[in-house]
Amino acid sequence: MQASQAAQASDGIRRYHQPLQQIQSYCLSPFQVLNSNEMADNSSSQGAPVSFQACNEQFFTLESSPAADCIFSDSPSAASIASNRSPFSPQCSQSYMSDLYHSSDHNYGSPLSGSSGVDDGGDLRHVLRELEMKLLGPESDLDDSCSCSFSNVASQHAMPQRRNPIVEMAPSLDLKQLLVACAEAVANVDIQTAEALMNVLEQKVSVSGEPIQRLSAYMLEGLRARLLSSGSIIYKKLKCKEPTGPELMSYMTVLYQICPYYKFAYMSSNVIIGEAMENENRIHIIDFQIAQGSQWVSLIQALAHRPGGPPFIRITGVDDSQSTIARGGGLDLVGKRLAKVAESCGVPFEFHGAGISGCEVQLESLQVRHGEALAVTFPYMLHHMPDESVNTMNHRDRLLRLVKSLSPKVVTLIEQEANTNTAPFFPRFCETIDYYTAMFESIDAARPREDGQRISTEEHCVARDIVNIIACEGADRVERHEPFGKWRLRLTMAGFTPCPLSFSVGNAMKDLLKEYNMNYRLGERDGALYLGWKNRALATTSAWR
């Protein structure tokens, strides 16, 4: 593997790269997803409906099931569902260290994937200790370098250096193994080992290399930031610079087209809401992350042709200031665009913009009116809301209870399928490797590695999320994903009940994935539809009332 060059940028962030043409920077709201070209069903080749009925055997348990294999079969045309198996996580019962020495390009499994239970990394520490004992002998018990603290840093550097088995092995380890070993050292404040492993990593990462090389470059920065207690500073510096509106829109369009992430969210929500509002004459839709608002164009057009005439449609768009750059202006631009579409279709329409964050939303912000059937959608948004682990306000559950009090006819939730909210640092780091390896591979399959737009997307948008997950804690950590099992519990406690997904939702997603790489896969369990890449789930969509 060709060694990359590390350059120091003006903002203090290291950049790992091989010679490239000038890269334009751009940003979009990043999220990660997965899915299969076809779902397992009993339909004929003529396109019979996809079956969403739950299997009698229990599987896909997120809260309490043992480690499990993937429900996606190797065949691109079907997704098998095994009993007592987690759907997207192969060989989850293996320890982190087993994965460390037997990793492969197609193995995303970890005790974290597909389960809300979190391993504390004890298996890795145990194996590392056994390895140290073999190489150094029993006397190594007298000096455990994995137990130092910052208060001992000075004395540690003053002590005579001894053999460090994991550092000696470092040159022969692959990138995933190096990252896990380095994260273990950082978790234990073993600064000498962490710095030595980071030096090895620097020679192997590249923002224009293979998916794992690119991911490793950003995860290395996250580890550095955490070790230096500068995660929040670096995270803020990594936030997107302000390209022109047209440039940013073109970048977002690229990602929208090459990966089904946004379309999975928008199309599934449209089908669910369209079916729920089939007989309603006055409809109010609250979108808690409206962005450009383009997702509602197809729904307006579909409702325009409804038998008996189109209904009155009112949309409330909630969005914070981060989306203003992409739009090139405020929410009034979204309202004008949608109003023009509605007028061309002969649909009575009204738009209300609420330019505030979810934490600031109150009842009066939403302008709910009597006599309107209400639909609410949360597209990749709720994981940014702080919960009880961050502060006593618990805006995540507060907002859910507020929406439930409005008696909506339907609520759609689309979220990343990851476990990074309350997980301790080390298992959170391992989960991040698994999740983003799949996401980077999915992007890699759609664009050449030297493509400047792809590099800019990953560097300026995805990288900041990775740094935030790895390096930040408390209120500074805003990327707090939860698997569907935990979302199901939250919504149930807020008073919601799940709505079964119709065949139409599955069929629409099945048709969507025909346009993309065959490694995208679909799966269904407990009323939620999962989008995955190979054998790793990255996003879910579900309906509630």
Side-chain angles (χ1 to χ4, degrees):
M1 186 180 300
Q2 183 176 357
S4 62
Q5 303 297 320
Q8 193 77 13
S10 59
D11 58 3
I13 308 302
R14 294 175 186 264
R15 305 290 184 229
Y16 304 96
H17 58 84
Q18 290 156 347
L20 290 171
Q21 296 178 351
Q22 182 69 23
I23 299 173
Q24 297 179 346
S25 63
Y26 67 100
C27 166
L28 43 87
S29 177
F31 59 85
Q32 296 69 39
V33 231
L34 337 148
N35 190 17
S36 106
N37 261 349
E38 298 187 23
M39 291 182 58
D41 58 46
N42 298 321
S43 62
S44 66
S45 59
Q46 277 69 33
V50 176
S51 174
F52 280 81
Q53 296 179 352
C55 177
N56 291 330
E57 296 177 302
Q58 186 178 5
F59 63 95
F60 218 10
T61 303
L62 295 169
E63 301 296 336
S64 60
S65 73
D69 291 334
C70 164
I71 67 164
F72 294 139
S73 72
D74 291 333
S75 169
S77 62
S80 63
I81 299 176
S83 63
N84 297 318
R85 300 293 185 181
S86 174
F88 308 111
S89 229
Q91 305 302 325
C92 291
S93 61
Q94 296 181 4
S95 68
Y96 286 122
M97 201 60 185
S98 175
D99 191 36
L100 188 67
Y101 288 101
H102 300 284
S103 64
S104 69
D105 291 341
H106 305 290
N107 180 10
Y108 309 122
S110 80
L112 300 175
S113 304
S115 170
S116 62
V118 176
D119 193 310
D120 64 0
D123 287 342
L124 178 58
R125 282 188 281 271
H126 176 70
V127 176
L128 283 171
R129 186 61 176 164
E130 284 188 346
L131 178 60
E132 184 181 14
M133 291 285 288
K134 289 180 180 178
L135 293 177
L136 300 179
E139 66 273 14
S140 62
D141 285 333
L142 300 176
D143 181 17
D144 187 357
S145 63
C146 292
S147 302
C148 70
S149 63
F150 277 116
S151 61
N152 295 329
V153 170
S155 61
Q156 180 184 5
H157 281 284
M159 294 171 60
Q161 301 236 343
R162 63 177 180 83
R163 290 180 60 195
N164 189 322
I166 195 65
V167 173
E168 292 178 359
M169 293 175 58
S172 63
L173 300 179
D174 64 29
L175 279 169
K176 181 177 180 180
Q177 296 164 353
L178 279 170
L179 286 171
V180 172
C182 190
E184 172 72 5
V186 172
N188 288 293
V189 201
D190 184 354
I191 297 178
Q192 288 183 328
T193 299
E195 290 180 343
L197 294 175
M198 287 178 183
N199 290 336
V200 178
L201 279 166
E202 279 187 3
Q203 305 307 312
K204 296 190 175 187
V205 303
S206 170
V207 297
S208 60
E210 299 176 1
I212 188 62
Q213 288 179 287
R214 307 197 310 262
L215 172 60
S216 297
Y218 305 130
M219 297 198 76
L220 174 57
E221 288 309 315
L223 287 171
R224 288 188 185 280
R226 186 178 185 88
L227 196 63
L228 298 172
S229 300
S230 59
S232 298
I233 297 174
I234 292 182
Y235 171 65
K236 291 173 183 177
K237 285 180 178 290
L238 280 171
K239 283 191 173 181
C240 304
K241 297 179 181 179
E242 298 188 9
T244 65
E247 287 175 342
L248 184 50
M249 282 301 298
S250 67
Y251 299 146
M252 296 178 71
T253 300
V254 168
L255 187 68
Y256 184 88
Q257 295 298 331
I258 67 174
C259 298
Y261 306 150
Y262 290 113
K263 290 182 181 179
F264 173 75
Y266 297 157
M267 290 181 65
S268 62
S269 289
N270 280 358
V271 174
I272 293 169
I273 292 173
E275 290 180 340
M277 301 297 177
E278 186 175 4
N279 299 314
E280 300 293 341
N281 293 321
R282 298 187 66 85
I283 300 171
H284 181 196
I285 300 172
I286 300 176
D287 185 343
F288 273 94
Q289 188 161 294
I290 197 165
Q292 307 301 316
S294 58
Q295 63 269 33
W296 301 116
V297 173
S298 60
L299 181 63
I300 292 173
Q301 293 170 341
L303 292 175
H305 297 93
R306 197 173 71 174
F312 168 81
I313 302 175
R314 188 162 65 95
I315 295 179
T316 294
V318 180
D319 217 5
D320 58 30
S321 59
Q322 293 296 319
S323 296
T324 302
I325 300 171
R327 283 192 297 266
L331 283 169
D332 59 312
L333 296 178
V334 177
K336 290 177 181 178
R337 180 190 180 195
L338 293 178
K340 186 175 181 180
V341 172
E343 182 180 8
S344 67
C345 297
V347 175
F349 180 81
E350 183 179 324
F351 181 83
H352 166 59
I356 55 179
S357 71
C359 293
E360 299 171 303
V361 170
Q362 301 294 332
L363 177 60
E364 56 271 19
S365 309
L366 304 176
Q367 297 190 5
V368 177
R369 299 174 187 170
H370 180 71
E372 295 179 343
L374 179 63
V376 178
T377 182
F378 293 105
Y380 302 113
M381 173 266 178
L382 273 179
H383 72 273
H384 286 139
M385 300 287 289
D387 69 350
E388 67 281 358
S389 68
V390 181
N391 59 52
T392 56
M393 292 296 294
N394 191 0
H395 290 290
R396 188 174 296 195
D397 289 346
R398 180 191 68 82
L399 188 58
L400 287 174
R401 290 193 298 268
L402 173 60
V403 169
K404 179 58 182 176
S405 71
L406 305 177
S407 300
K409 190 160 188 181
V410 68
V411 174
T412 63
L413 174 70
I414 304 93
E415 276 294 343
Q416 288 98 314
E417 182 65 8
N419 191 10
T420 65
N421 182 20
T422 57
F425 164 69
F426 182 66
R428 186 169 79 234
F429 182 91
C430 294
E431 171 81 332
T432 303
I433 292 179
D434 285 348
Y435 189 90
Y436 283 94
T437 296
M439 191 271 287
F440 272 60
E441 281 194 6
S442 70
I443 296 176
D444 192 69
R447 276 296 177 103
R449 290 176 183 171
E450 66 276 8
D451 185 271
Q453 290 183 328
R454 178 200 56 73
I455 295 172
S456 294
T457 301
E458 294 173 349
E459 181 177 2
H460 295 289
C461 300
V462 182
R464 64 174 183 171
D465 289 357
I466 293 172
V467 169
N468 186 255
I469 293 171
I470 295 173
C472 298
E473 297 294 349
D476 289 329
R477 181 155 61 86
V478 297
E479 298 299 325
R480 292 178 169 272
H481 309 101
E482 292 184 321
F484 178 70
K486 290 187 176 181
W487 288 118
R488 183 176 63 233
L489 181 61
R490 284 190 187 276
L491 271 81
T492 300
M493 292 178 65
F496 291 96
T497 57
C499 300
L501 298 180
S502 71
F503 294 143
S504 299
V505 180
N507 284 335
M509 297 302 97
K510 187 176 177 181
D511 289 341
L512 167 65
L513 292 183
K514 290 178 180 178
E515 306 173 13
Y516 296 94
N517 189 283
M518 65 193 316
N519 284 313
Y520 286 105
R521 303 187 178 186
L522 284 170
E524 188 273 346
R525 180 196 178 249
D526 290 344
L529 186 63
Y530 288 74
L531 176 63
W533 174 261
K534 297 181 180 178
N535 51 18
R536 168 75 208 209
L538 295 178
T540 63
T541 186
S542 57
W544 304 82
R545 58 169 170 257

